[in-house]
Amino acid sequence: MRLVASTPRKNAARVAALVASAAMVVVGIQSGTASAQPDLSRERGATAVLFTPAERVAAIQSAEADTAGEAASLGLGAQEKLVVRDVIEDADGTVHTRYERTYAGLPVLGGDLVVHRAPAGGRSVTKATSARITVASTDARVASATAKSSALKAASAEKTAKPAAESAPRKVIWAATGTPVLAWETVVKGLQPDGTPSELHVVADAATGKELFRDEAVQTGTGTGAYSGSVTLGTTKSGTTYNLTDGTRGSHKTYDLNQGTSGTGTLFTDADDIWGGGRQSAAVDVHYGAATTWDFYKNVLGRNGIKNNGVGSYSRAHYGNNYVNAFWQDSCFCMTYGDGSGNTHPLTSLDVAAHEMSHGVTAATAKLVYSGESGGLNEATSDIFATAVEFYAANPNDPGDYFIGEEININGNGTPLRYQDKPSKDGASKDYWSSTLGNLDVHYSSGPANHFYYLLSEGSGAKTVNGVSYNSPTSDGSTVTGIGRDKATKIWYKALTTYMTSSTNYAKARTATLSAAGALYGTTSPEYKAVGAAWTAINVK
């Protein structure tokens, strides 16, 4: 996902609408009484346990050993199987297991689900779709070569430069919208019009050849840095030189692409371990941003790295020439940063780094499809955690605020890229939900979710936070009282990691965050009521 929308990809309106309306169904009853625990005790109990890599592997292996039994208990068909993707355990013993599905050995796109098991035995299930997964035949009428040709034409329509199919199309079951059908999924690689790499996924009906969906998978979002100032860096000494390898944070590495657009680049090195100046300034910001984001997720939310497995990603600075963007690429598990206009304004501020790294967290958890309303929620998630990281860092060179990209001056006039208190101030984002929201570029349909987060954190109306003045409106003129940024952040994180699925839309995000607030604070709590009020204030009811 890119940080900005430079040349929006236009999905067909019908596709966006279909994805936006995909159901998230919650089945079962949560065990326990809403007011049984004091507020702080409940919050601690519903907070995720920090797994070591070995503990996470053991939890996944345990879940994998019982996938057949779980599939039977869920009433899945004989040809359906569950594949464990993630396991999260809360401090009170509740376990949330995220599954993908297969049908007759084929991946089911949009068939993901999460099983929530309470220690006392209560169980509930969150599904991306309530549709029964079945097709008449797994024999395709449309040839693989035809599907590939159509996908290449779709990429050309998106103005993808140098389009080429990554591999032969794979046969899948498309279940994200309506009745499940046999389909071909083709991944076309190339370059987007602004120079961002492209990994366009095109799904076509295997019986008719009709395109069902298309989705862009590349998601755009001691040393002295250009923005961070003097900071401490995690480095490693090799022989007589030091390099930007952070051994305490999953061995995250930072590379210099030297204006290239492919490959890993060259690992940044230094003779005396005092970094900064010239090309190193951007590297300092990038390395510091990755470290700070890692620490935030670990210390505040109990997450051990992007995939919660203790393994670091890597960063690439100095991408391309005059490249005014930054992006997360799940296929390389890496973040990449351009140097901006004239190669003089690197897009390497702390909130940009946290935004891109958080795309990786979304890819490892709910996997929100980057299109329609779910795509807007994907982008908003990265903005939300970027803001939380910036406040967490408490860096005097870049104080916490509810703006995105205020340091990088991407507009050339000193204004932020996005505003969370009133998203429409950027001239394109929406403040409130409407039925046409899913037709917008995801960077603009993220507006209402960003607005929700601000209202839940700080409340409506005029106020000053951390020295910055805000004035946040509501769609119905209501007054919203905030619960504080820390609680709002924890609610969104729990909703993302345990209750959202790949096709969650705004209405289902409301359900997910209410479930999260109920688990953390109780369904009669002020926090739970504030979540409902904040959604109503942006016209999600």
Side-chain angles (χ1 to χ4, degrees):
M1 292 160 198
R2 299 169 302 182
L3 177 71
V4 299
S6 52
T7 307
R9 290 184 174 272
K10 303 291 186 180
N11 290 328
R14 61 175 178 78
V15 175
L18 286 169
V19 172
S21 64
M24 179 180 75
V25 183
V26 178
V27 183
I29 301 174
Q30 295 283 3
S31 63
T33 304
S35 58
Q37 300 170 298
D39 180 77
L40 184 58
S41 175
R42 174 180 286 276
E43 180 180 356
R44 287 173 176 167
T47 298
V49 174
L50 180 63
F51 276 156
T52 65
E55 287 169 341
R56 181 174 182 272
V57 168
I60 289 176
Q61 288 177 338
S62 177
E64 287 174 338
D66 191 39
T67 52
E70 191 67 83
S73 68
L74 290 171
L76 302 188
Q79 296 197 72
E80 293 181 79
K81 294 186 184 302
L82 293 174
V83 180
V84 180
R85 190 152 67 82
D86 195 17
V87 177
I88 291 176
E89 182 176 351
D90 294 342
D92 65 4
T94 302
V95 176
H96 311 273
T97 306
R98 186 177 292 274
Y99 298 94
E100 300 285 356
R101 267 192 274 187
T102 65
Y103 176 87
L106 303 177
V108 179
L109 305 186
D112 49 306
L113 56 90
V114 187
V115 175
H116 319 278
R117 287 191 178 276
R123 187 187 74 165
S124 64
V125 184
T126 304
K127 294 181 179 180
T129 179
S130 59
R132 182 77 173 175
I133 307 300
T134 183
V135 294
S137 172
T138 57
D139 294 327
R141 296 179 189 172
V142 173
S144 169
T146 302
K148 178 179 176 179
S149 177
S150 297
L152 289 170
K153 290 179 181 177
S156 295
E158 297 284 3
K159 302 189 185 313
T160 302
K162 302 178 181 179
E166 180 182 29
S167 57
R170 68 168 182 166
K171 199 182 292 184
V172 300
I173 304 297
W174 174 250
T177 54
T179 303
V181 297
L182 185 70
W184 289 110
E185 181 192 33
T186 309
V187 180
V188 180
K189 288 192 171 184
L191 292 174
Q192 297 179 43
D194 69 344
T196 305
S198 174
E199 293 177 13
L200 187 67
H201 291 241
V202 181
V203 179
D205 192 310
T208 65
K210 178 183 178 181
E211 182 177 316
L212 301 171
F213 184 69
R214 67 176 73 170
D215 171 42
E216 177 56 67
V218 179
Q219 306 171 349
T220 61
T222 67
T224 302
Y227 306 111
S228 55
S230 181
V231 293
T232 300
L233 301 176
T235 62
T236 298
K237 188 174 185 180
S238 178
T240 59
T241 62
Y242 296 85
N243 62 71
L244 289 184
T245 300
D246 193 336
T248 63
R249 297 177 179 89
S251 294
H252 181 280
K253 293 176 170 58
T254 299
Y255 295 91
D256 184 356
L257 270 175
N258 196 30
Q259 272 48 72
T261 58
S262 62
T264 303
T266 304
L267 187 64
F268 277 97
T269 60
D270 187 81
D272 58 8
D273 209 23
I274 300 175
W275 303 78
R279 300 182 69 79
Q280 284 191 358
S281 293
V284 169
D285 286 331
V286 167
H287 207 63
Y288 163 76
T292 305
T293 305
W294 178 288
D295 290 349
F296 162 78
Y297 276 109
K298 185 173 184 178
N299 298 334
V300 177
L301 300 175
R303 187 173 190 83
N304 193 4
I306 290 177
K307 288 187 176 180
N308 205 22
N309 61 357
V311 177
S313 58
Y314 66 89
S315 299
R316 305 184 300 175
H318 303 301
Y319 173 91
N321 275 297
N322 304 310
Y323 180 67
V324 190
N325 223 324
F327 58 91
W328 166 266
Q329 200 165 0
D330 203 46
S331 60
C332 68
F333 197 57
C334 70
M335 297 156 286
T336 306
Y337 303 86
D339 285 333
S341 179
N343 290 335
T344 58
H345 295 84
L347 279 76
T348 56
S349 62
L350 176 59
D351 58 355
V352 173
H355 176 103
E356 300 308 336
M357 201 161 170
S358 294
H359 275 311
V361 173
T362 298
T365 55
K367 212 171 183 178
L368 290 161
V369 172
Y370 204 54
S371 174
E373 290 191 22
S374 60
L377 292 169
N378 190 318
E379 271 297 310
T381 295
S382 282
D383 284 350
I384 286 167
F385 292 133
T387 292
V389 169
E390 197 174 75
F391 275 101
Y392 168 81
N395 186 324
N397 288 282
D398 187 6
D401 53 51
Y402 290 94
F403 303 143
I404 305 299
E406 73 281 357
E407 294 286 335
I408 58 178
N409 195 25
I410 199 168
N411 295 322
N413 58 5
T415 59
L417 180 62
R418 286 189 285 277
Y419 304 79
Q420 292 181 303
D421 63 320
K422 190 177 181 182
S424 61
K425 288 168 68 175
D426 68 12
S429 294
K430 299 300 181 182
D431 293 331
Y432 314 118
W433 180 88
S434 72
S435 59
T436 61
L437 187 70
N439 298 334
L440 298 178
D441 182 278
V442 296
H443 298 85
Y444 307 137
S445 61
S446 64
N450 272 320
H451 195 187
F452 162 82
Y453 175 72
Y454 175 86
L455 288 169
L456 185 60
S457 298
E458 305 294 347
S460 58
K463 54 179 56 67
T464 300
V465 181
N466 213 17
V468 179
S469 296
Y470 303 95
N471 193 353
S472 191
T474 58
S475 65
D476 55 359
S478 61
T479 298
V480 176
T481 300
I483 61 174
R485 185 177 52 260
D486 289 344
K487 287 183 177 179
T489 300
K490 289 175 181 177
I491 287 170
W492 192 270
Y493 176 75
K494 188 166 186 66
L496 175 77
T497 56
T498 59
Y499 297 110
M500 291 186 185
T501 66
S502 60
S503 57
T504 295
N505 59 13
Y506 268 81
K508 300 309 176 183
R510 183 182 189 276
T511 300
T513 50
L514 284 170
S515 295
L520 287 165
Y521 306 109
T523 56
T524 61
S525 66
E527 293 85 356
Y528 184 90
K529 294 174 183 177
V531 169
W535 281 118
T536 299
I538 64 160
N539 198 35
V540 179
K541 303 171 185 179

